[in-house]
Amino acid sequence: MQQLEIRATRAALPNLDDTDLEDVDTLVNQLGALTEFRLADAELRPLEVSDQRLTTGRVKGLRVERAKLHEVRMDSVEFTGCDLSGAAFTGGRWSRVRFANCKILSGQFDGLAFEDVIFDRCKLDYAVFGNVTAKGPVIFRDCSLEEAEFSGCDLSKAAFDDCRMDLTTFERTTARGLDLRGNDLSGIRGIASLKHAVIEPAQTMQLGRALVGDLELSLPDDD
């Protein structure tokens, strides 16, 4: 099984063989399950998927104006080069799911369970992760998370690497074991929610600058 390794965090990649995948034009199946599928270069206005199971599939170049995925179980699914900005993902469990080079600006991720989930080179600015639980490894690699928010999340099995985190906010976060090494933390907010996270010595000064922003402290020049 192929994995993406970020220091001590290893997340399994989707297990896909393109020769076994069948082309589809939607992610909705009347039987409630879609298996061994490929959705490529589709442009949809609404995309509403509810109470479905997506297993062993590739979604490439999908562009949507409005997307809602509710209580969707995903196993071994990869999204590549998709624009899912403003999408709402609520409920459900994701296992071996990878988003690569995707734009999910202002995305809403609520009440999800993640296990072996990877966001790789994705734009997640202004995204909100609420009550998301990392049941297994979760990796954010080379992602833009400017003004993103993590609220009520369990990120104890997550790792961030080389991410842009200006005004990224953490609130009521379970962070024991959360690996934040390899990122500039000077612009984050909600330091108190990162108790027991893992950092490297050079980041202590960055957290000092973040604390100034957190507390809205003034640093006037000496006369």
Side-chain angles (χ1 to χ4, degrees):
M1 180 181 297
Q2 291 186 318
Q3 296 179 321
L4 175 63
E5 181 175 340
I6 300 295
R7 296 177 291 276
T9 303
R10 299 175 179 86
L13 294 166
N15 184 22
L16 301 174
D17 184 345
D18 283 295
T19 60
D20 294 331
L21 305 183
E22 182 178 349
D23 290 324
V24 298
D25 56 12
T26 181
L27 296 178
V28 179
N29 186 286
Q30 292 182 349
L31 299 178
L34 196 60
T35 303
E36 296 186 337
F37 64 92
R38 177 174 48 235
L39 177 63
D41 301 320
E43 188 164 349
L44 306 173
R45 289 189 176 179
L47 173 64
E48 296 190 8
V49 184
S50 182
D51 298 306
Q52 295 272 324
R53 180 161 185 164
L54 307 178
T55 306
T56 313
R58 188 185 303 280
V59 182
K60 181 178 179 181
L62 173 64
R63 296 172 297 281
V64 296
E65 292 185 10
R66 184 178 70 257
K68 294 182 180 180
L69 281 75
H70 176 65
E71 292 294 345
V72 174
R73 173 73 182 262
M74 288 199 285
D75 294 283
S76 199
V77 179
E78 182 169 80
F79 294 80
T80 306
C82 298
D83 187 346
L84 302 170
S85 295
F89 305 92
T90 58
R93 186 183 182 104
W94 299 357
S95 177
R96 286 185 299 162
V97 174
R98 178 175 181 244
F99 291 85
N101 296 299
C102 290
K103 183 186 293 185
I104 320 177
L105 304 176
S106 300
Q108 303 288 321
F109 301 82
D110 186 57
L112 294 159
F114 287 171
E115 183 175 9
D116 293 298
V117 173
I118 298 167
F119 294 90
D120 193 2
R121 301 183 303 278
C122 291
K123 293 183 179 296
L124 293 160
D125 304 328
Y126 316 109
V128 176
F129 293 80
N131 302 306
V132 171
T133 301
K135 296 287 189 180
V138 175
I139 291 175
F140 293 84
R141 182 175 72 166
D142 193 16
C143 289
S144 181
L145 288 157
E146 294 185 10
E147 297 191 47
E149 178 181 327
F150 294 84
S151 178
C153 296
D154 181 348
L155 299 175
S156 55
K157 294 182 175 67
F160 293 73
D161 186 64
D162 198 23
C163 291
R164 290 161 295 288
M165 303 178 73
D166 188 23
L167 297 180
T168 303
T169 301
F170 297 88
E171 296 181 352
R172 297 177 288 106
T173 302
T174 300
R176 181 180 292 274
L178 166 61
D179 190 345
L180 291 171
R181 291 172 289 179
N183 305 277
D184 185 346
L185 305 179
S186 58
I188 68 171
R189 296 293 181 266
I191 296 175
S193 290
L194 296 177
K195 188 175 182 180
H196 301 303
V198 179
I199 65 170
E200 52 198 3
Q203 291 173 302
T204 56
M205 293 187 64
Q206 297 173 6
L207 289 178
R209 291 194 292 271
L211 184 61
V212 170
D214 245 2
L215 300 180
E216 299 182 0
L217 300 176
S218 297
L219 299 173
D221 295 332
D222 292 336
D223 293 332

